[in-house]
Each structure stands twice: as C-alpha cells, then as structure tokens.
Amino acid sequence: MLKCKDCKKWLTSIRTELDIDSNNITKKVVNIPAKKCSICGKITINDSIMKRVNKYINECKEAVLDFQKYEDDESVASNELLL
C-alpha cells in the first residue's frame, strides 16, 4: 500500500478516467486502476499503467477506450500463445 506524497495518508484503490489526446483527437479512457488519497483527493496512476494506456489509445479506433477490456483481451491473447 502506498501513502500520499502530500498528506502522508494511505491511498485507496479506485478506477478513474482520463481524457487523452491521440493524433489531435481527444479520447476518453475509462476503468483505469489508480490510487486516491481520501484526505486531499489526489489521484496517482502507476507509470507502467500509463504506458499501457498510451499503447492502447494508439490502437483504439473508438472515442472511448475501456482500459480493463483491453487488459482482458491482452491476457486472453497471451494465454492462447502459451497453449
């Protein structure tokens, strides 16, 4: 578990959304795992998750990208390769 860099209080796990520009088009990304401070409200997204968000946003043709759906699809594809 992590602590807030500002408040030093424990962060809680949440799902959040972001608007991201991709090729001069703004897309909404939903269901992003993040941490939130219950005191100041600051939301933190892990760097490795943001790298995957940016990868998926470039592949996504729709205006709204469901991060969890892309993660699930990646997991299924990885498992099929192992079989």
Side-chain angles (χ1 to χ4, degrees):
M1 218 173 186
L2 300 173
K3 286 189 175 184
C4 179
K5 291 179 182 177
D6 298 332
C7 301
K8 310 297 185 228
K9 299 294 181 184
W10 292 110
L11 301 175
T12 57
S13 296
I14 63 163
R15 294 281 174 163
T16 191
E17 57 185 50
L18 293 172
D19 290 329
I20 298 179
D21 287 332
S22 173
N23 300 323
N24 296 322
I25 299 170
T26 301
K27 295 183 180 181
K28 181 178 284 296
V29 184
V30 298
N31 262 335
I32 305 169
K35 300 288 186 184
K36 182 177 182 180
C37 178
S38 60
I39 303 300
C40 71
K42 181 178 180 179
I43 295 175
T44 304
I45 301 172
N46 184 292
D47 288 342
S48 65
I49 290 174
M50 280 308 300
K51 285 180 184 176
R52 294 198 311 270
V53 165
N54 288 317
K55 175 186 175 226
Y56 298 153
I57 202 78
N58 290 325
E59 297 172 0
C60 181
K61 304 295 183 215
E62 296 85 26
V64 177
L65 179 149
D66 186 332
F67 180 83
Q68 189 60 53
K69 180 185 178 304
Y70 268 76
E71 286 284 281
D72 292 346
D73 291 348
E74 286 280 319
S75 178
V76 167
S78 295
N79 285 335
E80 286 179 357
L81 289 174
L82 296 174
L83 296 177

